[in-house]
Amino acid sequence: MGVTVEPQAFAVVEFDAATIARVAADVAAHAGLPPALPIRIVVDEQSMLSQARLRSVDPIVIEASSGAFEDRSRPRRLSQANVADTLARLLQRVADRRSSAFALAPAEEYLTPQEAAAWDVSCLGRAGSPFEARHRYDFSICCGFGPAAQEAFDVLWHSAVIDWAGIAALALVPTRGAAG
C-alpha cells in the first residue's frame, strides 16, 4: 500500500508516522482497496480538534486534525484505535465511491449533514468499529434521538451490503419519523 503520512516527524504531538501508515494500510485492505493505491494522510498537529475529512478521492487525500488520532485519556499521544476508526470511515467511503452502487452519491462537499452521518455509520459498522455507542450518539446529535433515528442507525450499522440509495433513504427516516 502506498501510504504516505505528513509530517513524517511530529513536533507537537507524540505520533509516529510509520504507525499511522501501517494502520492505514490495514484499514484500506479491510475496505477492499487495491494494495498499490496511493493514500496520502496529512495531519495538522497544531489542531487538537477531532476532525478528519476526505479531501480527494482520486488521488486519495485525507486531512486530519491531530485530535482525531489522539488517545482521549492521554493527550498528545497516538491512539491506534482512533486512527483505525477515523480512517475506516473515510477509506470505506473511498471504496464505496469506486463502486457503481454509489455512482449517484453527491460529492463530499454536497452531502447533507444527515447523508454524511448515515454514510459514516454505514462505513463504521461495516468496518467493525469498537465505538458503536460513540457513533450512535454522534448520529443522534445530527439525526435525532427518537425511535426512527435509532432504528435507522441499527439498520445502517448492521447492514453488510448497502448502496447509496439505501443510505440516502435511511438518512431521511428520522426526519420523516419526526414529522409523522
Side-chain angles (χ1 to χ4, degrees):
M1 179 68 54
V3 178
T4 59
V5 177
E6 299 169 19
Q8 291 182 340
F10 292 89
V12 177
V13 292
E14 299 172 26
F15 288 8
D16 177 60
T19 300
I20 295 169
R22 180 184 48 74
V23 171
D26 291 347
V27 169
H30 185 269
L33 294 172
L37 194 63
I39 299 171
R40 183 173 158 231
I41 301 170
V42 181
V43 181
D44 178 1
E45 67 176 318
Q46 299 292 327
S47 175
M48 294 299 139
L49 296 175
S50 182
Q51 298 176 342
R53 69 183 182 134
L54 185 57
R55 177 64 149 170
S56 172
V57 174
D58 188 20
I60 300 170
V61 179
I62 294 172
E63 296 176 341
S65 299
S66 61
F69 293 166
E70 183 178 61
D71 182 330
R72 291 187 169 106
S73 63
R74 298 176 19 205
R76 297 182 39 233
R77 295 205 176 102
L78 186 68
S79 164
Q80 290 186 46
N82 285 337
V83 171
D85 200 58
T86 298
L87 295 178
R89 174 177 66 85
L90 299 171
L91 292 173
Q92 184 61 57
R93 191 174 289 183
V94 169
D96 288 349
R97 286 191 178 280
R98 295 168 64 91
S99 161
S100 62
F102 285 82
L104 297 178
E108 292 293 310
E109 61 269 18
Y110 296 113
L111 291 169
T112 67
Q114 293 79 14
E115 289 170 338
W119 202 351
D120 288 350
V121 169
S122 173
C123 290
L124 290 160
R126 286 180 283 151
S129 170
F131 303 116
E132 181 177 352
R134 176 194 307 172
H135 299 304
R136 182 179 294 275
Y137 182 73
D138 291 344
F139 181 79
S140 297
I141 290 290
C142 183
C143 296
F145 286 90
Q150 298 312 304
E151 289 173 23
F153 178 93
D154 289 337
V155 171
L156 289 161
W157 190 265
H158 297 290
S159 292
V161 177
I162 194 164
D163 62 6
W164 172 249
I167 290 173
L170 287 165
L172 294 174
V173 165
T175 305
R176 282 196 302 254

